[in-house]
Amino acid sequence: GGYHTAEALGVPIILSVVLPMYTPTAEFAIPLTTANLGGFLNRQTYKVVPLISAPYSGVINEFRQELGLKPRGKIINETRLPDGRPMPVMYGYSRHVVPRPADWPASTSAVGYWFLPPDETWQPPADLTAFLQAGPPPVYIGFGSMAGTQPERLAATAVQALQQSGQRGLLATGWGGLKPGDLPDTIFQLESAPHDWLFERVTAVVHHGGSGTTAAGLRAGKPSLICPFLGDQPFWGEQVHRLGAGPEPIRQKQLTADRLAAAITAMVTDTTMRQKATAVSQALRSEDSIANAAQFIAQVMGEKAALQELEG
């Protein structure tokens, strides 16, 4: 709705998402796939973007009518402003994770990850604190809302992999409702905890590859294994692996206890991987993403004001 509301109000608009899927580039295909098709074909994959809104064209045009706007066609290109100029795009992820493509226009910027300030009022449960203090830092395993249709199988795989690798573990049940059953003393069942607090206290992170969880793991400087389900998750898994900050991602259909145990062992013992994870963390912590975003917004506002002055 933002696009159409801005058009009705005549105010500047910036498209902002946390993955680079709206700006065509020859360097990589749209991040809904990890295939590298080569320069020309990579750019062509972004032509699917206008199709995303197509199923909602009827609802959109009803909304536009309420705003006093003319209806638009079924295929709405939200990467263009109503006057045809390129839409300013501000991506909320770091150039240290996905370098800026050389063929991006000046109207597009990746300003860095936006992290919420720590919740100073949050306190860990006593049993979690006791577990963390009872031994070496554990491995975090959690798949958020993506546990799928077999949470029991996923939990059993995680438990077996932790035992095979000889590591203590935090098994996050999360929104997906993982059901770990009876756990050994070396594995703690975690309902929830802030990632910024928790990841500082683990030795490695295993997760589904959502943009936010990926950012939290990298910022904490911990090797990360991504086990993607769908969407942009495989893309983030490939980026983490390319940076050397984690093993090659393991897709959920290929996830076994043996493969997970081997990846966990690599994250805990591979000195180079751990050093690269630390280097990425230092780069992210040095990046002032809020200032970068403010500067980009000011630039867009300035261009809008200048254009209005010329037209006026």
Side-chain angles (χ1 to χ4, degrees):
Y3 180 102
H4 312 283
T5 304
E7 182 181 351
L9 295 175
V11 299
I13 181 170
I14 297 171
L15 191 156
S16 185
V17 291
V18 294
L19 69 155
M21 66 173 287
Y22 281 92
T23 310
T25 176
E27 295 187 17
F28 51 81
I30 190 170
L32 302 179
T33 176
T34 56
N36 189 338
L37 306 174
F40 173 76
L41 291 179
N42 281 344
R43 290 187 66 88
Q44 295 302 106
T45 62
Y46 292 85
K47 289 189 174 181
V48 306
V49 170
L51 301 178
I52 295 173
S53 299
Y56 312 105
S57 59
V59 174
I60 288 172
N61 278 328
E62 288 178 9
F63 181 57
R64 289 178 64 83
Q65 185 177 11
E66 292 176 9
L67 296 175
L69 298 172
K70 295 179 180 180
R72 296 191 60 170
K74 190 175 181 65
I75 306 300
I76 299 174
N77 188 348
E78 294 175 332
T79 65
R80 291 281 170 180
L81 294 167
D83 61 9
R85 290 180 297 125
M87 168 77 73
V89 182
M90 180 170 64
Y91 291 117
Y93 69 85
S94 176
R95 61 183 175 82
H96 298 295
V97 177
V98 183
R100 178 186 173 88
D103 55 355
W104 268 10
S107 57
T108 295
S109 180
V111 298
Y113 289 111
W114 295 312
F115 295 103
L116 292 172
D119 181 0
E120 302 294 347
T121 65
W122 187 84
Q123 294 294 324
D127 55 352
L128 173 58
T129 299
F131 177 79
L132 291 172
Q133 293 176 346
V139 175
Y140 169 91
I141 302 178
F143 300 117
S145 61
M146 304 299 301
T149 59
Q150 296 180 303
E152 296 89 349
R153 181 192 66 81
L154 267 181
T157 299
V159 170
Q160 185 178 346
L162 286 167
Q163 291 181 314
Q164 286 182 213
S165 62
Q167 297 299 313
R168 288 168 21 101
L170 289 172
L171 189 61
T173 55
W175 302 332
L178 285 175
K179 299 177 182 179
D182 295 328
L183 294 175
D185 293 340
T186 55
I187 301 177
F188 183 88
Q189 180 178 341
L190 177 69
E191 289 296 327
S192 65
H195 285 164
D196 56 354
W197 182 92
L198 186 65
F199 289 177
E200 295 286 347
R201 292 162 173 80
V202 302
T203 189
V205 178
V206 179
H207 62 92
H208 57 294
S211 177
T213 312
T214 300
L218 291 174
R219 190 191 194 201
K222 304 304 166 68
S224 299
L225 168 68
I226 291 180
C227 303
F229 289 78
L230 47 79
D232 60 318
Q233 297 163 8
F235 174 80
W236 294 118
E238 292 292 338
Q239 302 312 310
V240 171
H241 180 53
R242 178 184 57 78
L243 291 168
E248 185 174 354
I250 306 173
R251 290 180 179 263
Q252 287 292 329
K253 290 182 178 179
Q254 284 80 47
L255 185 63
T256 65
D258 289 344
R259 287 176 175 170
L260 182 54
I264 289 173
T265 299
M267 289 192 290
V268 173
T269 62
D270 189 324
T271 302
T272 299
M273 185 184 298
R274 299 187 68 82
Q275 289 173 341
K276 289 187 175 181
T278 299
V280 174
S281 171
Q282 292 171 344
L284 295 185
R285 291 175 185 274
S286 69
E287 189 172 43
D288 194 341
S289 56
I290 303 302
N292 293 342
Q295 183 178 2
F296 185 79
I297 292 169
Q299 174 187 329
V300 171
M301 295 292 289
E303 290 176 354
K304 176 70 174 180
L307 184 62
Q308 287 176 335
E309 186 175 342
L310 289 172
E311 293 174 345

